[in-house]
Amino acid sequence: MNQPGQSGRTELKRLPYKASFELSDLYSIIDENLVAHVGLVENGQPLVIPMTYGRDDDTLFLHGSSGSRLMRLLADNPSVCVSITELNALKVARSNFNSGMHYRSAVIFGKARLLEDDEKLAALDLISDSLIPGRVAEARPMTKKEAAATIIVAVKLDEASVKISVNEVDDPEEDMNLGYWAGTVPLKRGVGEVIPADAESQSLPIPESIKRFIERHQAER
Amino acid sequence: MNQPGQSGRTELKRLPYKASFELSDLYSIIDENLVAHVGLVENGQPLVIPMTYGRDDDTLFLHGSSGSRLMRLLADNPSVCVSITELNALKVARSNFNSGMHYRSAVIFGKARLLEDDEKLAALDLISDSLIPGRVAEARPMTKKEAAATIIVAVKLDEASVKISVNEVDDPEEDMNLGYWAGTVPLKRGVGEVIPADAESQSLPIPESIKRFIERHQAER
């Protein structure tokens, strides 16, 4: 996400990120983002699929889009690499070499375990409630048929690499006072105005879970 | 990103996305986003790294963070899968099963080719200018030493899967008029107030490239 910056004098200062070994950082990156990029190996070739997810303590639950293919793949090779990235700012230095981004990144390595029966039902609700807390209690309950048509895998959060880059611009002395500008451009995420789907929904109040989601994600960096 | 929805009657309507075979859709997803998740295979295991990138016609240029490891890996197995995902809205149906997201997703398969010399220099500038158009002309030029410390690979955009989900909520008849709410929650991206890095930058006008970046990304969905 950033320039390597292994060039002598300012090596330490210019490292593009700090590694974090705090579980709280890992959990925070997982909980405050909405999509994971899940890497698999298919016939020796890489495949990366975007998935929604939920977390319960030290377990990540992934909800894929291409059910049967995913299942076949994971039976073959259950190893997955789950990457979750949050972009927070452009760091614009006087040189592009020293420019980069403020970001938080989690790269998780593990084995995917396919869930069945009650464990799957619980994980389905957990994913819905991870995305929009409180949503399950407000929605029409899931049917057995719907659960059967869905694939969920669990990945233990045993091995992960967490990087956090919040480094401010730190141009070397020789780049200063030559008329080049440097600064930070914050990247923001937010939520637009909710659009009720139809007349029935228009006649109902916006559910509490949706209101909380909006409040939380509007307040974001 | 979405529920499979392979359940009989409304199968077609409930497909979570449409596949696009238009190059213009692929290019638009690439050009309007900032980060790619790049899948590699390392000793038979998947590895997914977030990278910034640029595009020139039908070639994608990737800028990695962990130079030497990346180079070693790609020498071993140049196959990559590059996934770029744009989340545009939560689609909240009456059931969580029929809920999902509005998104655009590109999954690109190819062989990474390591760039050297002039080709690398050109690609470095291209990536900077892809991210912030016009930035190269305004920044301190790259030195040979800086270019040598950077790894860039090229991937031809020959094989890609593009999915676009803009489906509105389409709850089945039996879920209607039971008091459940449904609607769409737009997810927005934007840009915050620019922070000049220091006194020199404060004394200078905000560069045109940065102004254009802000204008473009503030206007986004």
Side-chain angles (χ1 to χ4, degrees):
Chain A
M1 306 287 294
N2 214 312
Q3 327 290 358
Q6 305 116 318
S7 53
R9 190 173 59 88
T10 54
E11 180 173 347
L12 203 69
K13 271 204 254 173
R14 286 207 223 154
L15 265 182
Y17 61 86
K18 75 174 173 73
S20 164
F21 303 96
E22 300 295 327
L23 261 186
S24 57
D25 284 327
L26 173 61
Y27 290 175
S28 157
I29 294 168
I30 293 172
D31 296 349
E32 290 173 30
N33 287 282
L34 302 174
V35 65
H37 285 84
V38 181
L40 308 157
V41 177
E42 182 179 30
N43 303 324
Q45 309 300 314
L47 175 66
V48 180
I49 309 174
M51 296 188 191
T52 51
Y53 60 83
R55 181 181 71 84
D56 181 24
D57 193 30
D58 65 348
T59 305
L60 191 70
F61 297 95
L62 299 168
H63 183 293
S65 63
S66 49
S68 55
R69 185 181 181 194
L70 181 67
M71 189 162 62
R72 235 179 17 248
L73 280 176
L74 291 174
D76 244 32
N77 183 352
S79 294
V80 293
C81 176
V82 182
S83 191
I84 300 171
T85 307
E86 175 185 294
L87 299 183
N88 292 319
L90 302 185
K91 184 178 84 171
V92 182
R94 286 167 172 79
S95 65
N96 287 317
F97 183 74
N98 287 318
S99 298
M101 290 211 187
H102 291 189
Y103 65 92
R104 301 197 303 163
S105 157
V107 178
I108 298 149
F109 302 91
K111 304 275 178 198
R113 185 171 63 85
L114 198 69
L115 301 190
E116 307 278 359
D117 306 324
D118 287 356
E119 216 185 3
K120 181 160 91 172
L121 286 175
L124 276 164
D125 282 352
L126 182 98
I127 291 173
S128 294
D129 270 350
S130 288
L131 194 64
I132 308 176
R135 185 67 198 139
V136 170
E138 294 170 352
R140 188 262 289 155
M142 177 150 299
T143 65
K144 278 184 197 302
K145 194 176 160 189
E146 288 172 348
T150 310
I151 304 291
I152 303 285
V153 299
V155 179
K156 276 281 193 184
L157 296 169
D158 288 336
E159 192 190 347
S161 158
V162 173
K163 292 178 187 173
I164 299 177
S165 166
V166 290
N167 297 344
E168 296 306 322
V169 173
D170 179 32
D171 282 318
E173 199 51 45
E174 60 267 30
D175 285 352
M176 306 298 279
N177 301 312
L178 300 173
Y180 294 116
W181 183 90
T184 303
V185 183
L187 299 174
K188 297 206 165 193
R189 291 165 295 162
V191 175
E193 194 148 347
V194 169
I195 306 155
D198 41 43
E200 184 189 10
S201 302
Q202 252 156 9
S203 76
L204 295 167
I206 293 174
E208 290 304 314
S209 68
I210 303 295
K211 280 199 240 168
R212 278 196 304 272
F213 180 91
I214 293 166
E215 206 167 295
R216 180 176 156 204
H217 289 264
Q218 259 177 353
E220 249 171 34
R221 277 165 301 272
Chain B
M1 306 290 296
N2 213 316
Q3 327 290 356
Q6 305 117 317
S7 52
R9 188 171 62 85
T10 54
E11 182 174 345
L12 203 69
K13 271 203 253 172
R14 285 206 223 154
L15 265 183
Y17 61 85
K18 74 174 174 76
S20 164
F21 303 95
E22 300 294 329
L23 261 185
S24 58
D25 284 328
L26 173 63
Y27 290 174
S28 157
I29 293 168
I30 292 172
D31 296 348
E32 291 174 28
N33 287 283
L34 303 174
V35 64
H37 285 83
V38 181
L40 308 157
V41 177
E42 182 178 31
N43 302 324
Q45 307 300 315
L47 175 66
V48 180
I49 308 174
M51 297 189 192
T52 51
Y53 60 83
R55 182 181 71 84
D56 181 23
D57 192 28
D58 64 349
T59 305
L60 192 70
F61 297 95
L62 299 168
H63 183 293
S65 63
S66 48
S68 55
R69 186 181 181 195
L70 182 66
M71 190 162 63
R72 234 179 18 247
L73 280 175
L74 291 175
D76 244 30
N77 182 352
S79 295
V80 294
C81 176
V82 182
S83 191
I84 300 172
T85 307
E86 176 186 292
L87 299 183
N88 293 319
L90 302 185
K91 183 178 83 171
V92 182
R94 288 167 172 80
S95 65
N96 287 318
F97 183 73
N98 287 317
S99 297
M101 290 210 187
H102 291 189
Y103 64 91
R104 300 198 304 163
S105 157
V107 178
I108 298 148
F109 302 91
K111 305 274 178 199
R113 185 172 63 86
L114 199 69
L115 300 190
E116 307 278 359
D117 306 324
D118 287 355
E119 216 185 3
K120 180 159 92 172
L121 285 175
L124 276 163
D125 282 352
L126 182 96
I127 291 173
S128 295
D129 270 351
S130 289
L131 193 65
I132 308 176
R135 185 65 198 141
V136 170
E138 295 170 352
R140 188 262 289 154
M142 176 150 300
T143 65
K144 279 186 198 297
K145 195 176 161 188
E146 288 172 347
T150 310
I151 304 290
I152 303 285
V153 299
V155 179
K156 276 279 192 185
L157 295 168
D158 288 337
E159 190 190 347
S161 158
V162 173
K163 293 177 186 175
I164 299 177
S165 166
V166 291
N167 298 343
E168 297 305 323
V169 173
D170 180 31
D171 282 317
E173 198 52 44
E174 60 266 30
D175 284 353
M176 306 297 279
N177 301 311
L178 300 172
Y180 294 116
W181 183 90
T184 303
V185 183
L187 299 174
K188 297 205 164 194
R189 292 166 293 160
V191 174
E193 194 145 349
V194 169
I195 305 155
D198 41 43
E200 183 189 10
S201 302
Q202 252 155 10
S203 77
L204 295 167
I206 293 175
E208 290 304 314
S209 68
I210 303 296
K211 280 199 240 168
R212 277 195 306 271
F213 180 91
I214 293 166
E215 207 168 296
R216 179 176 156 202
H217 290 263
Q218 259 175 352
E220 249 170 37
R221 279 161 301 272

